Amino acid sequence: MIRLKNEKQINGIRTSCKMLSAMYRELIPLVKPGIQTIEIDQWVQTWIKKSGGVPVFLGYCMKKKPYPAAICISINDEVIHGIPSKRRIREGDLVSLDCGIDLGGFISDQAVSIEAGKVSDEIKKINRITNECLYKGIEAVKAGDRLLQISRAVEKHARSNGYGIVEEFCGHGVGFELHEDPHVPNYPHGANPKLNNGMVFAIEPMINMGTGAVEILDDEWTVVTADEKISAHWEHTVAVFNGKTEVLTEPLEDLVFVN
Ligand code: MF3
Ligand code: CO
């Protein structure tokens, strides 16, 4: 589990997170109907390398097959870990982007769901509610309080809107490695450590229009909803430092929720 020891370390992670959000600010306007997801990945790899970072997802091993891209692009019923391909974004798609940067050993992680062109009202709704779930979770982060408060806040908002919560994947400690303790589930479950100064973690609600059940495709990575209904995903990297909650990755809502 990450425990920041000094100001220099938090500054390292702050800078990595700012860089990742700056990348998204340039990327989001490019994610339009017609673009191939592999083109997005190539753009991301180039951007991160020219900025002096390392794309942490590229070659990352969670299971046997290393992840083959710098960004996860998960469309509609794809929940997370969608692999960039020749597939083109289409009008009406909900496109979830998830990316991380290693900048000088400090790791950031952020995800955003983008509406391609005109989308249905039900997509607009799940995207806004999932975004709100993220901020409800962040509001529950209080130094000295317990971690599962986050999970309760996310769960309550999702369930009160009739949505399913993905249980098999969750947020996580981050900062020196992409995935560290603790697990940050989107429903109260498992360990419930105190939120101490120096902790850095990713909160990432994955919310489904139907049930929370998911399956993994034959590519060994892409997680899809079992009922083929839409899923949305938003994520910030957050720290508890000097008794305060700091959201280290930056807001992108002004680019996403344009209508
Ligand atoms: N951002 C994802 C997460 O939070 C990680 C993607 S897995 C990778 O779990 F292999 F693509 F890196
Ligand atoms: Co994450």
Side-chain angles (χ1 to χ4, degrees):
M1 183 188 306
I2 187 168
R3 282 299 295 275
L4 299 170
K5 287 194 204 72
N6 52 49
E7 196 78 25
K8 200 171 156 203
Q9 291 182 335
I10 181 108
N11 280 335
I13 300 177
R14 280 180 184 134
T15 308
S16 175
C17 288
K18 282 207 164 64
M19 181 187 280
L20 177 57
S21 303
M23 183 205 77
Y24 273 123
R25 295 205 79 83
E26 290 183 41
L27 172 62
I28 288 169
L30 307 176
V31 181
K32 289 252 167 63
I35 193 169
Q36 282 181 327
T37 57
I38 191 92
E39 296 177 295
I40 297 173
D41 182 60
Q42 280 155 2
W43 185 96
V44 168
Q45 291 202 28
T46 304
W47 194 99
I48 294 176
K49 285 170 193 164
K50 85 153 199 269
S51 307
V54 176
V56 254
F57 291 11
L58 184 62
Y60 186 78
C61 283
M62 214 149 70
K63 356 180 182 181
K64 273 179 268 148
K65 190 178 143 196
Y67 188 73
I71 186 166
C72 302
I73 306 179
S74 310
I75 303 174
N76 298 332
D77 64 320
E78 296 173 350
V79 180
I80 48 167
H81 300 169
I83 299 176
S85 69
K86 291 188 171 153
R87 178 172 178 176
R88 286 182 196 280
I89 306 284
R90 294 166 58 169
E91 176 97 16
D93 282 346
L94 183 65
V95 184
S96 301
L97 306 174
D98 187 355
C99 191
I101 295 180
D102 176 340
L103 185 65
F106 297 109
I107 295 175
S108 49
D109 192 3
Q110 183 171 23
V112 54
S113 290
I114 293 173
E115 299 164 8
K118 256 197 181 331
V119 300
S120 67
D121 288 345
E122 57 173 12
I123 286 185
K124 278 190 184 166
K125 181 173 175 205
I126 195 170
N127 201 22
R128 279 153 188 76
I129 299 293
T130 305
N131 175 264
E132 287 166 16
C133 284
L134 170 59
Y135 287 97
K136 301 261 182 204
I138 290 169
E139 279 167 32
V141 177
K142 299 215 170 71
D145 216 334
R146 296 272 167 183
L147 179 134
L148 291 183
Q149 289 298 110
I150 303 169
S151 317
R152 282 191 196 94
V154 170
E155 179 187 49
K156 186 171 165 217
H157 196 54
R159 295 235 191 272
S160 69
N161 282 280
Y163 292 139
I165 294 167
V166 177
E167 297 184 0
E168 283 160 58
F169 296 88
C170 61
H172 50 91
V174 64
F176 297 143
E177 284 173 57
L178 179 58
H179 291 134
E180 302 176 26
D181 282 346
H183 286 300
V184 185
N186 293 308
Y187 69 108
H189 169 80
N192 191 14
K194 240 189 200 166
L195 298 171
N196 289 320
N197 277 314
M199 286 176 74
V200 181
F201 45 87
I203 303 178
E204 49 178 318
M206 291 155 253
I207 304 299
N208 297 352
M209 243 180 233
T211 75
V214 295
E215 287 166 8
I216 297 177
L217 297 186
D218 287 340
D219 65 17
E220 296 178 36
W221 278 99
T222 312
V223 178
V224 296
T225 57
D227 58 14
E228 299 183 9
K229 293 191 177 165
I230 301 282
S231 184
H233 181 209
W234 282 81
E235 175 179 32
H236 271 309
T237 297
V238 171
V240 179
F241 197 69
N242 288 335
K244 288 201 283 276
T245 304
E246 261 190 62
V247 185
L248 302 181
T249 41
E250 295 186 337
L252 299 166
E253 286 76 17
D254 61 308
L255 290 173
V256 177
F257 299 126
V258 283
N259 332 286

